[in-house]
């Protein structure tokens, strides 16, 4: 892709292009150089609500939404819920940085932190 083609893309398509290249080991600088644009393009992405986390631009609104949902679950989920169905809820306390990294991983992989933790527990318990 050349500079003109890249600049014709919409914001989401530009971000997807960068994310795709960075998944394949390219750096921001290398991508920008190949396109013939300034690497300050990342500032445009940041101004539009995207954060560069582990070489991927992630929509910060998605991260904030999951954090708010987590807080709501914590506030509502007092006491021990029934364990008889797939919708039971339990509180897990962990380091904020670890929680945020799990949220980012979940967003990238189109899943939830709950599902990740449940699968890890099942694997650990050999279920």
């Amino acid at each position: 892709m050349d500079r003109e083609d890249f600049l014709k893309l919409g914001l989401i398509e530009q971000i997807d292009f960068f994310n795709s290249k960075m998944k394949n080991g390219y750096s921001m600088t290398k991508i920008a150089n190949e396109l013939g644009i300034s690497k300050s393009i990342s500032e445009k992405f940041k101004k539009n609500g995207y954060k560069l986390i582990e070489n991927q631009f992630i929509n910060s609104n998605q991260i904030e939404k999951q954090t708010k949902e987590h807080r709501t679950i914590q506030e509502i989920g007092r006491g021990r819920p029934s364990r008889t169905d797939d919708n039971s809820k339990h509180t897990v306390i962990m380091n904020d940085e670890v929680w945020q990294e799990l949220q980012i991983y979940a967003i990238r992989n189109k899943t939830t932190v709950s599902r990740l933790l449940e699968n890890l527990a099942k694997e650990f318990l050999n279920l």
Side-chain angles (χ1 to χ4, degrees):
M1 178 175 301
D2 65 12
R3 175 185 165 84
E4 289 177 27
D5 291 335
F6 178 79
L7 294 176
K8 289 178 186 175
L9 296 175
L11 176 71
I12 303 300
E13 293 168 315
Q14 290 177 348
I15 290 169
D16 288 345
F17 179 81
F18 265 81
N19 284 344
S20 173
K21 288 287 203 177
M22 287 188 290
K23 264 188 182 174
N24 291 319
Y26 284 73
S27 68
M28 282 285 304
T29 303
K30 186 172 183 175
I31 299 166
N33 287 343
E34 284 184 2
L35 290 171
I37 61 172
S38 169
K39 72 176 187 172
S40 66
I41 187 79
S42 64
E43 292 304 315
K44 173 184 173 183
F45 299 160
K46 289 176 187 176
K47 285 179 185 176
N48 284 281
Y50 288 82
K51 292 182 179 182
L52 183 61
I53 301 172
E54 294 183 14
N55 285 333
Q56 291 289 288
F57 285 100
I58 307 290
N59 186 319
S60 58
N61 293 332
Q62 289 176 312
I63 296 168
E64 183 61 27
K65 180 181 175 191
Q66 282 197 349
T67 302
K68 284 179 183 176
E69 289 172 0
H70 171 69
R71 281 189 215 124
T72 302
I73 290 169
Q74 279 186 323
E75 291 168 4
I76 294 171
R78 302 283 184 224
R80 182 160 298 271
S82 170
R83 297 188 217 178
T84 59
D85 64 1
D86 289 336
N87 294 322
S88 64
K89 293 178 176 41
H90 300 277
T91 302
V92 177
I93 299 171
M94 65 177 61
N95 177 291
D96 286 341
E97 290 176 20
V98 172
W99 177 255
Q100 186 176 31
E101 291 298 319
L102 278 171
Q103 288 178 310
I104 292 166
Y105 182 87
I107 290 168
R108 284 188 188 145
N109 292 281
K110 297 181 177 152
T111 188
T112 64
V113 172
S114 295
R115 185 123 9 241
L116 290 171
L117 293 175
E118 182 178 1
N119 289 340
L120 182 62
K122 285 179 179 177
E123 184 179 315
F124 178 79
L125 296 170
N126 296 317
L127 296 177

